[in-house]
Amino acid sequence: MNMKLKRFSKWAGLLCLALTVAVTAACSSDSGSSGAEEAKEEKATLRFSWWGSEVRHQALLEAIDLYMEKNPNVTIEPEYGGFDGYYQKLVTQFAGGTAPDLTPLSVDWIEEIAVKGNLVLDLNTLKDHLNLDAFDAEFLNDYATFDGKLVGLPMGANGIVTLYNREFFEKFGIPENTKWDWNTIHEIGKKVHEQDPDAYLLGLFDYRIFLQPFVNQLTGNQWINDDKSLGFDAAAAEKAFAYYRQLLDDGVIQPVEESSLYPDLAENLQWQNGNIGMMFTLASTIAKVKSYTPDVGVSMFPVPADAKTSAVLVNPSNPLAINKDTKYPEEAAKFASWLLTDPEAARILKDVYSVPAATANAAMLAEEGLIDPTVAEAVEIALSNPGAPVNGLSNNNELNQISQDILERVAFRKLEPAQAAEELTSRLADKLQTIK
């Protein structure tokens, strides 16, 4: 186990303890200045943009109102919507000088926006206005710091798990304690579809939840090594593509002609109607899924017995970043710190960004029953066997798009697995030559 993974395991243990043992704890609050001082401060207006579900929107709006009540010198202007198109809109705003003062970042965007683009502040420069002690220092260093720059405050602790529909499992006699690996998925999924041609064990696959972890389990490497070489060869990629095609051919996965209409599986009518049994998803999405399908359970992401790494993705939920060009960096930092470390804010947000990364708040919410038990269980499961932290290059958005494009062409039978593997390795290697 490498040193970074050892340090991560220490943090994971702390957070798991916070979720499983009821403790009385509270984070120190940094909610701004006293009333007398506020009267002397300049009025600040901050734009705060985010994406998510209606549950998340309402929680953040309530938190914003409370913060403005406590800090009348600050106005927070909310801007929110769905995930589709958010990245393109954000990079357009940055290019045009109209980006919001605060925004969460997907881990896929950090390389382009925070590192190469240098578009957000290094929060280490604002530590006097941040309650960094509420977070595990090694977690911040390993998962939110890139090239020495603290790019954002983690809005939660996230991990990928298998989420399943309990009614579906009961209908097809699938034990809830099934230990999933890629063989059991194929075997059980094929039987399900033979029993009912309208039923599928799984919905849509994408690069992040299938291709990268499947290959990483074969190799034990990063998807892209730090020296800009590929962490896999064409043979490993071909094995992944061939397996994917087999799942499609045998009815284990819903046909892509149908599933591609619903990039978000929770909104897929077949899922909502109980004709899809399970999905691989992050803990932070479970609240939305349960709004459509309340009776769900969670288990470990598929890990073969001979896997060289679990490849179970664990990361911070959307580090909250501050625009480098904000007129009010200190006020933005104070708000971000309050939102993610103050107990009152934690009670409002609960688990809309999964379990809080501030361990004392996680313990408080668990003790008070304010974290959805399914979300808490999902994080515990993911943290029990995490893969190595994913490096920046493996999260590069341009490289991800290449991988996703080829995976989709395999799904639509425009490429055979061997062709796809050769094209994937060739295109990624060519693109890596252009990345500085």
mmCIF file of all heavy atoms in Angstrom, residues 206-207 211 223 232 237-238 241 244-245 398-429:
data_model
loop_
_atom_site.group_PDB
_atom_site.id
_atom_site.type_symbol
_atom_site.label_atom_id
_atom_site.label_comp_id
_atom_site.label_asym_id
_atom_site.label_seq_id
_atom_site.Cartn_x
_atom_site.Cartn_y
_atom_site.Cartn_z
ATOM 1 N N ASP A 206 -21.102 3.948 -17.988
ATOM 2 C CA ASP A 206 -20.257 4.978 -18.594
ATOM 3 C C ASP A 206 -18.803 4.721 -18.224
ATOM 4 O O ASP A 206 -18.476 3.772 -17.508
ATOM 5 C CB ASP A 206 -20.707 6.403 -18.230
ATOM 6 C CG ASP A 206 -20.540 6.739 -16.759
ATOM 7 O OD1 ASP A 206 -19.784 6.038 -16.047
ATOM 8 O OD2 ASP A 206 -21.141 7.727 -16.301
ATOM 9 N N TYR A 207 -17.947 5.557 -18.760
ATOM 10 C CA TYR A 207 -16.505 5.398 -18.571
ATOM 11 C C TYR A 207 -16.133 5.379 -17.087
ATOM 12 O O TYR A 207 -15.353 4.534 -16.636
ATOM 13 C CB TYR A 207 -15.800 6.542 -19.304
ATOM 14 C CG TYR A 207 -14.488 6.959 -18.694
ATOM 15 C CD1 TYR A 207 -13.330 6.220 -18.896
ATOM 16 C CD2 TYR A 207 -14.414 8.101 -17.898
ATOM 17 C CE1 TYR A 207 -12.134 6.599 -18.324
ATOM 18 C CE2 TYR A 207 -13.212 8.486 -17.333
ATOM 19 C CZ TYR A 207 -12.081 7.729 -17.544
ATOM 20 O OH TYR A 207 -10.904 8.099 -16.972
ATOM 21 N N LEU A 211 -15.530 1.439 -17.279
ATOM 22 C CA LEU A 211 -14.317 1.203 -18.056
ATOM 23 C C LEU A 211 -13.049 1.431 -17.230
ATOM 24 O O LEU A 211 -12.149 0.582 -17.198
ATOM 25 C CB LEU A 211 -14.316 2.094 -19.300
ATOM 26 C CG LEU A 211 -13.151 1.897 -20.264
ATOM 27 C CD1 LEU A 211 -13.103 0.470 -20.775
ATOM 28 C CD2 LEU A 211 -13.248 2.882 -21.431
ATOM 29 N N TRP A 223 -5.182 4.996 -14.254
ATOM 30 C CA TRP A 223 -5.612 4.981 -15.655
ATOM 31 C C TRP A 223 -4.543 5.661 -16.522
ATOM 32 O O TRP A 223 -4.120 5.121 -17.541
ATOM 33 C CB TRP A 223 -6.944 5.710 -15.752
ATOM 34 C CG TRP A 223 -7.566 5.833 -17.112
ATOM 35 C CD1 TRP A 223 -7.668 6.965 -17.851
ATOM 36 C CD2 TRP A 223 -8.207 4.805 -17.858
ATOM 37 N NE1 TRP A 223 -8.330 6.714 -19.020
ATOM 38 C CE2 TRP A 223 -8.676 5.392 -19.047
ATOM 39 C CE3 TRP A 223 -8.442 3.445 -17.649
ATOM 40 C CZ2 TRP A 223 -9.366 4.682 -20.037
ATOM 41 C CZ3 TRP A 223 -9.130 2.731 -18.626
ATOM 42 C CH2 TRP A 223 -9.565 3.338 -19.799
ATOM 43 N N PHE A 232 -2.285 1.141 -18.785
ATOM 44 C CA PHE A 232 -2.827 -0.131 -19.281
ATOM 45 C C PHE A 232 -2.423 -0.296 -20.742
ATOM 46 O O PHE A 232 -1.979 0.660 -21.388
ATOM 47 C CB PHE A 232 -4.350 -0.151 -19.163
ATOM 48 C CG PHE A 232 -5.037 0.926 -19.959
ATOM 49 C CD1 PHE A 232 -5.532 0.660 -21.234
ATOM 50 C CD2 PHE A 232 -5.177 2.208 -19.448
ATOM 51 C CE1 PHE A 232 -6.143 1.651 -21.982
ATOM 52 C CE2 PHE A 232 -5.795 3.206 -20.194
ATOM 53 C CZ PHE A 232 -6.282 2.927 -21.457
ATOM 54 N N ALA A 237 -7.766 -3.175 -22.246
ATOM 55 C CA ALA A 237 -8.932 -2.438 -22.734
ATOM 56 C C ALA A 237 -9.847 -3.338 -23.542
ATOM 57 O O ALA A 237 -11.077 -3.259 -23.430
ATOM 58 C CB ALA A 237 -8.469 -1.252 -23.575
ATOM 59 N N GLU A 238 -9.262 -4.213 -24.373
ATOM 60 C CA GLU A 238 -10.081 -5.126 -25.178
ATOM 61 C C GLU A 238 -10.910 -6.052 -24.288
ATOM 62 O O GLU A 238 -12.074 -6.338 -24.578
ATOM 63 C CB GLU A 238 -9.200 -5.944 -26.119
ATOM 64 C CG GLU A 238 -10.012 -6.857 -27.025
ATOM 65 C CD GLU A 238 -9.151 -7.671 -27.988
ATOM 66 O OE1 GLU A 238 -7.934 -7.401 -28.069
ATOM 67 O OE2 GLU A 238 -9.707 -8.565 -28.653
ATOM 68 N N PHE A 241 -13.903 -4.032 -23.076
ATOM 69 C CA PHE A 241 -14.889 -3.804 -24.133
ATOM 70 C C PHE A 241 -15.627 -5.100 -24.497
ATOM 71 O O PHE A 241 -16.836 -5.084 -24.752
ATOM 72 C CB PHE A 241 -14.214 -3.221 -25.375
ATOM 73 C CG PHE A 241 -13.761 -1.796 -25.222
ATOM 74 C CD1 PHE A 241 -12.462 -1.428 -25.569
ATOM 75 C CD2 PHE A 241 -14.618 -0.821 -24.737
ATOM 76 C CE1 PHE A 241 -12.036 -0.109 -25.432
ATOM 77 C CE2 PHE A 241 -14.201 0.499 -24.599
ATOM 78 C CZ PHE A 241 -12.907 0.850 -24.948
ATOM 79 N N TYR A 244 -18.183 -5.811 -21.832
ATOM 80 C CA TYR A 244 -19.313 -4.883 -21.989
ATOM 81 C C TYR A 244 -20.239 -5.357 -23.105
ATOM 82 O O TYR A 244 -21.468 -5.379 -22.939
ATOM 83 C CB TYR A 244 -18.756 -3.495 -22.281
ATOM 84 C CG TYR A 244 -19.778 -2.391 -22.389
ATOM 85 C CD1 TYR A 244 -20.908 -2.354 -21.586
ATOM 86 C CD2 TYR A 244 -19.592 -1.352 -23.304
ATOM 87 C CE1 TYR A 244 -21.827 -1.318 -21.677
ATOM 88 C CE2 TYR A 244 -20.504 -0.305 -23.405
ATOM 89 C CZ TYR A 244 -21.618 -0.304 -22.592
ATOM 90 O OH TYR A 244 -22.522 0.724 -22.697
ATOM 91 N N ARG A 245 -19.657 -5.741 -24.236
ATOM 92 C CA ARG A 245 -20.485 -6.222 -25.345
ATOM 93 C C ARG A 245 -21.249 -7.482 -24.956
ATOM 94 O O ARG A 245 -22.416 -7.657 -25.329
ATOM 95 C CB ARG A 245 -19.589 -6.495 -26.557
ATOM 96 C CG ARG A 245 -20.329 -7.040 -27.776
ATOM 97 C CD ARG A 245 -21.284 -6.023 -28.400
ATOM 98 N NE ARG A 245 -20.574 -4.877 -28.914
ATOM 99 C CZ ARG A 245 -19.935 -4.849 -30.097
ATOM 100 N NH1 ARG A 245 -19.915 -5.918 -30.868
ATOM 101 N NH2 ARG A 245 -19.330 -3.753 -30.492
ATOM 102 N N GLU A 398 -10.735 16.082 -20.970
ATOM 103 C CA GLU A 398 -10.556 15.783 -22.385
ATOM 104 C C GLU A 398 -10.266 14.296 -22.603
ATOM 105 O O GLU A 398 -10.795 13.679 -23.536
ATOM 106 C CB GLU A 398 -9.411 16.620 -22.952
ATOM 107 C CG GLU A 398 -9.705 18.110 -23.024
ATOM 108 C CD GLU A 398 -8.527 18.893 -23.564
ATOM 109 O OE1 GLU A 398 -7.534 19.065 -22.834
ATOM 110 O OE2 GLU A 398 -8.600 19.320 -24.725
ATOM 111 N N LEU A 399 -9.444 13.713 -21.757
ATOM 112 C CA LEU A 399 -9.159 12.287 -21.858
ATOM 113 C C LEU A 399 -10.404 11.463 -21.552
ATOM 114 O O LEU A 399 -10.664 10.434 -22.196
ATOM 115 C CB LEU A 399 -8.030 11.909 -20.903
ATOM 116 C CG LEU A 399 -6.679 12.592 -21.141
ATOM 117 C CD1 LEU A 399 -5.677 12.170 -20.074
ATOM 118 C CD2 LEU A 399 -6.137 12.281 -22.525
ATOM 119 N N ASN A 400 -11.186 11.919 -20.586
ATOM 120 C CA ASN A 400 -12.426 11.215 -20.252
ATOM 121 C C ASN A 400 -13.393 11.196 -21.431
ATOM 122 O O ASN A 400 -14.074 10.202 -21.682
ATOM 123 C CB ASN A 400 -13.111 11.882 -19.052
ATOM 124 C CG ASN A 400 -12.345 11.688 -17.770
ATOM 125 O OD1 ASN A 400 -11.379 10.940 -17.713
ATOM 126 N ND2 ASN A 400 -12.777 12.369 -16.726
ATOM 127 N N GLN A 401 -13.457 12.313 -22.159
ATOM 128 C CA GLN A 401 -14.373 12.392 -23.301
ATOM 129 C C GLN A 401 -13.981 11.393 -24.388
ATOM 130 O O GLN A 401 -14.842 10.797 -25.039
ATOM 131 C CB GLN A 401 -14.391 13.814 -23.856
ATOM 132 C CG GLN A 401 -15.135 14.812 -22.979
ATOM 133 C CD GLN A 401 -16.594 14.429 -22.773
ATOM 134 O OE1 GLN A 401 -17.297 14.032 -23.708
ATOM 135 N NE2 GLN A 401 -17.060 14.536 -21.539
ATOM 136 N N ILE A 402 -12.686 11.233 -24.612
ATOM 137 C CA ILE A 402 -12.223 10.239 -25.586
ATOM 138 C C ILE A 402 -12.670 8.846 -25.167
ATOM 139 O O ILE A 402 -13.210 8.061 -25.966
ATOM 140 C CB ILE A 402 -10.687 10.296 -25.720
ATOM 141 C CG1 ILE A 402 -10.260 11.610 -26.385
ATOM 142 C CG2 ILE A 402 -10.165 9.097 -26.521
ATOM 143 C CD1 ILE A 402 -8.761 11.845 -26.376
ATOM 144 N N SER A 403 -12.460 8.520 -23.902
ATOM 145 C CA SER A 403 -12.824 7.201 -23.387
ATOM 146 C C SER A 403 -14.322 6.961 -23.475
ATOM 147 O O SER A 403 -14.776 5.881 -23.880
ATOM 148 C CB SER A 403 -12.352 7.061 -21.937
ATOM 149 O OG SER A 403 -10.963 7.333 -21.821
ATOM 150 N N GLN A 404 -15.103 7.962 -23.116
ATOM 151 C CA GLN A 404 -16.556 7.828 -23.156
ATOM 152 C C GLN A 404 -17.057 7.673 -24.592
ATOM 153 O O GLN A 404 -17.943 6.856 -24.871
ATOM 154 C CB GLN A 404 -17.214 9.041 -22.492
ATOM 155 C CG GLN A 404 -18.730 8.999 -22.442
ATOM 156 C CD GLN A 404 -19.276 7.856 -21.604
ATOM 157 O OE1 GLN A 404 -18.597 7.354 -20.713
ATOM 158 N NE2 GLN A 404 -20.483 7.427 -21.894
ATOM 159 N N ASP A 405 -16.482 8.428 -25.501
ATOM 160 C CA ASP A 405 -16.884 8.343 -26.914
ATOM 161 C C ASP A 405 -16.663 6.938 -27.462
ATOM 162 O O ASP A 405 -17.539 6.371 -28.134
ATOM 163 C CB ASP A 405 -16.084 9.359 -27.731
ATOM 164 C CG ASP A 405 -16.264 9.174 -29.227
ATOM 165 O OD1 ASP A 405 -17.410 9.323 -29.701
ATOM 166 O OD2 ASP A 405 -15.264 8.872 -29.922
ATOM 167 N N ILE A 406 -15.523 6.354 -27.170
ATOM 168 C CA ILE A 406 -15.223 5.019 -27.689
ATOM 169 C C ILE A 406 -16.109 3.971 -27.027
ATOM 170 O O ILE A 406 -16.598 3.038 -27.696
ATOM 171 C CB ILE A 406 -13.724 4.709 -27.499
ATOM 172 C CG1 ILE A 406 -12.901 5.644 -28.394
ATOM 173 C CG2 ILE A 406 -13.419 3.248 -27.824
ATOM 174 C CD1 ILE A 406 -11.405 5.549 -28.196
ATOM 175 N N LEU A 407 -16.357 4.101 -25.735
ATOM 176 C CA LEU A 407 -17.251 3.173 -25.046
ATOM 177 C C LEU A 407 -18.640 3.200 -25.672
ATOM 178 O O LEU A 407 -19.273 2.156 -25.885
ATOM 179 C CB LEU A 407 -17.325 3.522 -23.558
ATOM 180 C CG LEU A 407 -18.148 2.575 -22.686
ATOM 181 C CD1 LEU A 407 -17.492 1.198 -22.622
ATOM 182 C CD2 LEU A 407 -18.309 3.143 -21.272
ATOM 183 N N GLU A 408 -19.142 4.388 -26.001
ATOM 184 C CA GLU A 408 -20.462 4.505 -26.623
ATOM 185 C C GLU A 408 -20.483 3.886 -28.018
ATOM 186 O O GLU A 408 -21.476 3.266 -28.422
ATOM 187 C CB GLU A 408 -20.875 5.976 -26.684
ATOM 188 C CG GLU A 408 -21.194 6.572 -25.319
ATOM 189 C CD GLU A 408 -21.484 8.057 -25.364
ATOM 190 O OE1 GLU A 408 -21.431 8.637 -26.478
ATOM 191 O OE2 GLU A 408 -21.757 8.638 -24.300
ATOM 192 N N ARG A 409 -19.405 4.014 -28.755
ATOM 193 C CA ARG A 409 -19.354 3.423 -30.093
ATOM 194 C C ARG A 409 -19.318 1.900 -30.032
ATOM 195 O O ARG A 409 -19.863 1.213 -30.895
ATOM 196 C CB ARG A 409 -18.161 3.975 -30.859
ATOM 197 C CG ARG A 409 -18.386 5.438 -31.273
ATOM 198 C CD ARG A 409 -17.096 6.130 -31.643
ATOM 199 N NE ARG A 409 -16.475 5.531 -32.821
ATOM 200 C CZ ARG A 409 -15.197 5.671 -33.130
ATOM 201 N NH1 ARG A 409 -14.392 6.365 -32.331
ATOM 202 N NH2 ARG A 409 -14.715 5.119 -34.230
ATOM 203 N N VAL A 410 -18.706 1.358 -28.982
ATOM 204 C CA VAL A 410 -18.768 -0.087 -28.761
ATOM 205 C C VAL A 410 -20.201 -0.493 -28.454
ATOM 206 O O VAL A 410 -20.712 -1.496 -28.973
ATOM 207 C CB VAL A 410 -17.829 -0.507 -27.613
ATOM 208 C CG1 VAL A 410 -18.052 -1.968 -27.220
ATOM 209 C CG2 VAL A 410 -16.377 -0.298 -28.012
ATOM 210 N N ALA A 411 -20.869 0.287 -27.609
ATOM 211 C CA ALA A 411 -22.246 -0.030 -27.228
ATOM 212 C C ALA A 411 -23.179 -0.035 -28.437
ATOM 213 O O ALA A 411 -24.053 -0.902 -28.558
ATOM 214 C CB ALA A 411 -22.736 0.974 -26.188
ATOM 215 N N PHE A 412 -22.987 0.906 -29.350
ATOM 216 C CA PHE A 412 -23.836 0.987 -30.542
ATOM 217 C C PHE A 412 -23.311 0.129 -31.693
ATOM 218 O O PHE A 412 -23.777 0.234 -32.822
ATOM 219 C CB PHE A 412 -23.956 2.450 -30.992
ATOM 220 C CG PHE A 412 -24.917 3.256 -30.170
ATOM 221 C CD1 PHE A 412 -24.455 4.139 -29.195
ATOM 222 C CD2 PHE A 412 -26.284 3.136 -30.345
ATOM 223 C CE1 PHE A 412 -25.344 4.894 -28.436
ATOM 224 C CE2 PHE A 412 -27.179 3.878 -29.596
ATOM 225 C CZ PHE A 412 -26.707 4.764 -28.635
ATOM 226 N N ARG A 413 -22.311 -0.719 -31.372
ATOM 227 C CA ARG A 413 -21.746 -1.673 -32.330
ATOM 228 C C ARG A 413 -21.128 -1.002 -33.556
ATOM 229 O O ARG A 413 -21.132 -1.553 -34.649
ATOM 230 C CB ARG A 413 -22.804 -2.704 -32.747
ATOM 231 C CG ARG A 413 -23.214 -3.602 -31.580
ATOM 232 C CD ARG A 413 -24.353 -4.538 -31.910
ATOM 233 N NE ARG A 413 -24.548 -5.498 -30.833
ATOM 234 C CZ ARG A 413 -25.170 -5.221 -29.684
ATOM 235 N NH1 ARG A 413 -25.629 -4.001 -29.467
ATOM 236 N NH2 ARG A 413 -25.306 -6.134 -28.741
ATOM 237 N N LYS A 414 -20.567 0.155 -33.348
ATOM 238 C CA LYS A 414 -19.832 0.832 -34.413
ATOM 239 C C LYS A 414 -18.353 0.478 -34.367
ATOM 240 O O LYS A 414 -17.610 0.774 -35.303
ATOM 241 C CB LYS A 414 -20.016 2.350 -34.291
ATOM 242 C CG LYS A 414 -21.453 2.795 -34.541
ATOM 243 C CD LYS A 414 -21.597 4.312 -34.418
ATOM 244 C CE LYS A 414 -23.037 4.744 -34.684
ATOM 245 N NZ LYS A 414 -23.197 6.217 -34.560
ATOM 246 N N LEU A 415 -17.916 -0.129 -33.252
ATOM 247 C CA LEU A 415 -16.546 -0.603 -33.097
ATOM 248 C C LEU A 415 -16.575 -1.975 -32.446
ATOM 249 O O LEU A 415 -17.347 -2.211 -31.507
ATOM 250 C CB LEU A 415 -15.731 0.342 -32.204
ATOM 251 C CG LEU A 415 -15.202 1.663 -32.772
ATOM 252 C CD1 LEU A 415 -14.507 2.441 -31.667
ATOM 253 C CD2 LEU A 415 -14.252 1.422 -33.936
ATOM 254 N N GLU A 416 -15.736 -2.862 -32.916
ATOM 255 C CA GLU A 416 -15.534 -4.136 -32.250
ATOM 256 C C GLU A 416 -14.547 -3.938 -31.095
ATOM 257 O O GLU A 416 -13.743 -2.993 -31.112
ATOM 258 C CB GLU A 416 -15.016 -5.178 -33.238
ATOM 259 C CG GLU A 416 -16.046 -5.591 -34.277
ATOM 260 C CD GLU A 416 -17.320 -6.130 -33.646
ATOM 261 O OE1 GLU A 416 -17.219 -7.012 -32.756
ATOM 262 O OE2 GLU A 416 -18.414 -5.651 -34.004
ATOM 263 N N PRO A 417 -14.573 -4.802 -30.088
ATOM 264 C CA PRO A 417 -13.700 -4.603 -28.922
ATOM 265 C C PRO A 417 -12.223 -4.422 -29.262
ATOM 266 O O PRO A 417 -11.565 -3.538 -28.695
ATOM 267 C CB PRO A 417 -13.941 -5.876 -28.107
ATOM 268 C CG PRO A 417 -15.362 -6.233 -28.409
ATOM 269 C CD PRO A 417 -15.547 -5.898 -29.857
ATOM 270 N N ALA A 418 -11.696 -5.226 -30.178
ATOM 271 C CA ALA A 418 -10.270 -5.093 -30.515
ATOM 272 C C ALA A 418 -9.988 -3.752 -31.180
ATOM 273 O O ALA A 418 -8.975 -3.097 -30.889
ATOM 274 C CB ALA A 418 -9.835 -6.238 -31.429
ATOM 275 N N GLN A 419 -10.877 -3.328 -32.075
ATOM 276 C CA GLN A 419 -10.709 -2.025 -32.729
ATOM 277 C C GLN A 419 -10.778 -0.901 -31.696
ATOM 278 O O GLN A 419 -9.997 0.058 -31.743
ATOM 279 C CB GLN A 419 -11.808 -1.817 -33.766
ATOM 280 C CG GLN A 419 -11.781 -2.748 -34.949
ATOM 281 C CD GLN A 419 -13.005 -2.542 -35.835
ATOM 282 O OE1 GLN A 419 -14.143 -2.573 -35.354
ATOM 283 N NE2 GLN A 419 -12.783 -2.327 -37.115
ATOM 284 N N ALA A 420 -11.741 -1.016 -30.795
ATOM 285 C CA ALA A 420 -11.927 0.019 -29.774
ATOM 286 C C ALA A 420 -10.691 0.138 -28.890
ATOM 287 O O ALA A 420 -10.263 1.240 -28.532
ATOM 288 C CB ALA A 420 -13.154 -0.295 -28.928
ATOM 289 N N ALA A 421 -10.118 -0.998 -28.530
ATOM 290 C CA ALA A 421 -8.934 -0.986 -27.665
ATOM 291 C C ALA A 421 -7.758 -0.308 -28.354
ATOM 292 O O ALA A 421 -7.039 0.493 -27.738
ATOM 293 C CB ALA A 421 -8.569 -2.411 -27.273
ATOM 294 N N GLU A 422 -7.547 -0.609 -29.628
ATOM 295 C CA GLU A 422 -6.455 0.018 -30.369
ATOM 296 C C GLU A 422 -6.686 1.520 -30.520
ATOM 297 O O GLU A 422 -5.760 2.326 -30.353
ATOM 298 C CB GLU A 422 -6.313 -0.633 -31.747
ATOM 299 C CG GLU A 422 -5.803 -2.049 -31.711
ATOM 300 C CD GLU A 422 -4.383 -2.162 -31.157
ATOM 301 O OE1 GLU A 422 -3.618 -1.176 -31.231
ATOM 302 O OE2 GLU A 422 -4.053 -3.238 -30.638
ATOM 303 N N GLU A 423 -7.924 1.905 -30.820
ATOM 304 C CA GLU A 423 -8.212 3.332 -30.981
ATOM 305 C C GLU A 423 -8.087 4.066 -29.651
ATOM 306 O O GLU A 423 -7.574 5.189 -29.596
ATOM 307 C CB GLU A 423 -9.607 3.540 -31.561
ATOM 308 C CG GLU A 423 -9.924 5.012 -31.796
ATOM 309 C CD GLU A 423 -11.222 5.245 -32.528
ATOM 310 O OE1 GLU A 423 -11.696 4.345 -33.248
ATOM 311 O OE2 GLU A 423 -11.779 6.366 -32.381
ATOM 312 N N LEU A 424 -8.545 3.448 -28.572
ATOM 313 C CA LEU A 424 -8.465 4.087 -27.261
ATOM 314 C C LEU A 424 -7.017 4.373 -26.882
ATOM 315 O O LEU A 424 -6.676 5.503 -26.505
ATOM 316 C CB LEU A 424 -9.115 3.199 -26.201
ATOM 317 C CG LEU A 424 -9.038 3.707 -24.757
ATOM 318 C CD1 LEU A 424 -9.849 4.994 -24.593
ATOM 319 C CD2 LEU A 424 -9.525 2.647 -23.774
ATOM 320 N N THR A 425 -6.168 3.366 -26.955
ATOM 321 C CA THR A 425 -4.775 3.558 -26.548
ATOM 322 C C THR A 425 -4.072 4.554 -27.462
ATOM 323 O O THR A 425 -3.268 5.369 -26.997
ATOM 324 C CB THR A 425 -4.022 2.214 -26.536
ATOM 325 O OG1 THR A 425 -4.194 1.549 -27.794
ATOM 326 C CG2 THR A 425 -4.536 1.318 -25.417
ATOM 327 N N SER A 426 -4.389 4.515 -28.754
ATOM 328 C CA SER A 426 -3.747 5.431 -29.702
ATOM 329 C C SER A 426 -4.178 6.870 -29.469
ATOM 330 O O SER A 426 -3.345 7.785 -29.386
ATOM 331 C CB SER A 426 -4.080 5.008 -31.134
ATOM 332 O OG SER A 426 -3.572 5.932 -32.069
ATOM 333 N N ARG A 427 -5.491 7.089 -29.334
ATOM 334 C CA ARG A 427 -5.989 8.457 -29.168
ATOM 335 C C ARG A 427 -5.571 9.056 -27.824
ATOM 336 O O ARG A 427 -5.253 10.247 -27.743
ATOM 337 C CB ARG A 427 -7.515 8.486 -29.312
ATOM 338 C CG ARG A 427 -7.997 8.329 -30.741
ATOM 339 C CD ARG A 427 -9.510 8.357 -30.831
ATOM 340 N NE ARG A 427 -10.060 9.639 -30.352
ATOM 341 C CZ ARG A 427 -11.376 9.857 -30.217
ATOM 342 N NH1 ARG A 427 -12.247 8.885 -30.496
ATOM 343 N NH2 ARG A 427 -11.808 11.022 -29.793
ATOM 344 N N LEU A 428 -5.597 8.242 -26.773
ATOM 345 C CA LEU A 428 -5.169 8.763 -25.474
ATOM 346 C C LEU A 428 -3.690 9.129 -25.501
ATOM 347 O O LEU A 428 -3.290 10.184 -24.979
ATOM 348 C CB LEU A 428 -5.441 7.738 -24.378
ATOM 349 C CG LEU A 428 -6.897 7.498 -23.973
ATOM 350 C CD1 LEU A 428 -6.986 6.430 -22.897
ATOM 351 C CD2 LEU A 428 -7.578 8.782 -23.502
ATOM 352 N N ALA A 429 -2.879 8.273 -26.101
ATOM 353 C CA ALA A 429 -1.441 8.562 -26.172
ATOM 354 C C ALA A 429 -1.174 9.832 -26.970
ATOM 355 O O ALA A 429 -0.337 10.661 -26.586
ATOM 356 C CB ALA A 429 -0.714 7.374 -26.806
#
